[in-house]
Amino acid sequence: MCYITSLPCRPQPREHGGAAAAGEWRSCLWLAKRAVVAAFLNIGTVWRGPLRHCLGASGLITSPYMHMMVAKPEQWVKPMAAAGANQYTFHLEATDNPGALIKDIRESGMKVGLGIKPNTTVEYLALWANQIDMALVMTVEPGFGGQKFMEDMMPKVQWLRSQFPSLDIEVDGGVGLDNIHRCAEAGANMIVSGSAIMKSDDPRSVINLLRNTCREAAQKRSLDR
């Protein structure tokens, strides 16, 4: 299955086309919220009070997925579960005990995602691949939108797909129409695309193209097995 995640989620008031915007974003299979704190990324955007409201707002976010770019991911597991998240993705570089954190996430009723930054080897992530639901390969340095896609991360995706055929593999950072084919062919079936969607005059068409490209690549892999 292919998932397209659009970041950020910014529903507009009804008087500014909010109803149309909601319909537009339902074309997306997943919408996500990121949580970022200063100790990990040197910026201080933290989702607190508004989180529960956003996760449940008008059915807009159908599968609340948390990409936690935080310095101490352990402390956010229970708050995110209580807020309604169904998947908790943390960065391998941010914890000294991935195994215990994975266990805690599972016991809190959420799926587990595990991400790595560009300078982290994919073999390090592979040590935990059989215990997680999704592997995230960052294709930019975490923290800021609009960065250039790092195509040299694709061998990581390709290697993960060859070693773990049934694992969900996500790419995040600089993904758009000009490189989606490379991501899909490498084996990514979960695509985070922010600027390419949010800055487009026709977000629905962009979402559909991203999604269809992933689906076609997944179908081809299935036939080739």
Side-chain angles (χ1 to χ4, degrees):
M1 182 176 293
C2 175
Y3 301 92
I4 307 298
T5 302
S6 174
L7 295 170
C9 166
R10 292 180 181 172
Q12 296 185 14
R14 185 175 298 273
E15 62 267 28
H16 295 295
E24 191 79 30
W25 295 122
R26 287 195 187 96
S27 299
C28 251
L29 297 183
W30 277 24
L31 288 176
K33 281 296 178 185
R34 302 190 199 218
V36 182
V37 294
F40 190 50
L41 294 173
N42 296 319
I43 55 178
T45 304
V46 181
W47 291 95
R48 294 182 184 273
L51 180 62
R52 184 186 296 274
H53 173 73
C54 184
L55 290 179
S58 304
L60 188 61
I61 301 180
T62 57
S63 299
Y65 152 97
M66 306 307 297
H67 177 185
M68 303 297 292
M69 292 190 285
V70 297
K72 296 180 180 179
E74 294 84 358
Q75 69 183 9
W76 292 97
V77 173
K78 287 179 173 54
M80 295 302 105
N86 74 350
Q87 179 168 316
Y88 189 101
T89 298
F90 68 95
H91 278 253
L92 190 53
E93 304 89 354
T95 181
D96 294 326
N97 195 339
L101 182 50
I102 290 169
K103 182 173 183 291
D104 191 21
I105 295 168
R106 290 254 184 250
E107 291 178 348
S108 296
M110 295 182 288
K111 293 181 179 180
V112 181
L114 182 59
I116 53 172
K117 298 197 291 183
N119 288 334
T120 301
T121 65
V122 70
E123 289 80 7
Y124 187 25
L125 185 151
L127 296 173
W128 307 98
N130 290 321
Q131 300 181 42
I132 62 177
D133 299 288
M134 186 202 80
L136 163 62
V137 176
M138 293 296 299
T139 48
V140 297
E141 287 296 334
F144 300 95
Q147 296 183 60
K148 184 178 179 181
F149 174 76
M150 299 172 67
E151 189 167 346
D152 57 347
M153 295 298 105
M154 292 302 96
K156 293 183 180 181
V157 175
Q158 192 168 13
W159 186 86
L160 282 171
R161 180 57 67 207
S162 68
Q163 299 298 311
F164 307 98
S166 62
L167 184 66
D168 280 333
I169 302 174
E170 180 178 81
V171 289
D172 181 352
V175 180
L177 299 182
D178 57 343
N179 51 45
I180 181 59
H181 287 85
R182 184 71 182 94
C183 297
E185 289 168 3
N189 69 310
M190 297 181 69
I191 305 298
V192 176
S193 184
S195 298
I197 294 173
M198 301 300 293
K199 294 182 179 180
S200 171
D201 293 331
D202 189 359
R204 185 187 299 275
S205 294
V206 175
I207 291 168
N208 287 336
L209 194 151
L210 295 172
R211 179 168 49 194
N212 291 338
T213 301
C214 283
R215 283 179 172 170
E216 290 169 6
Q219 290 169 357
K220 184 177 184 301
R221 282 194 299 272
S222 180
L223 291 173
D224 290 343
R225 287 179 187 172

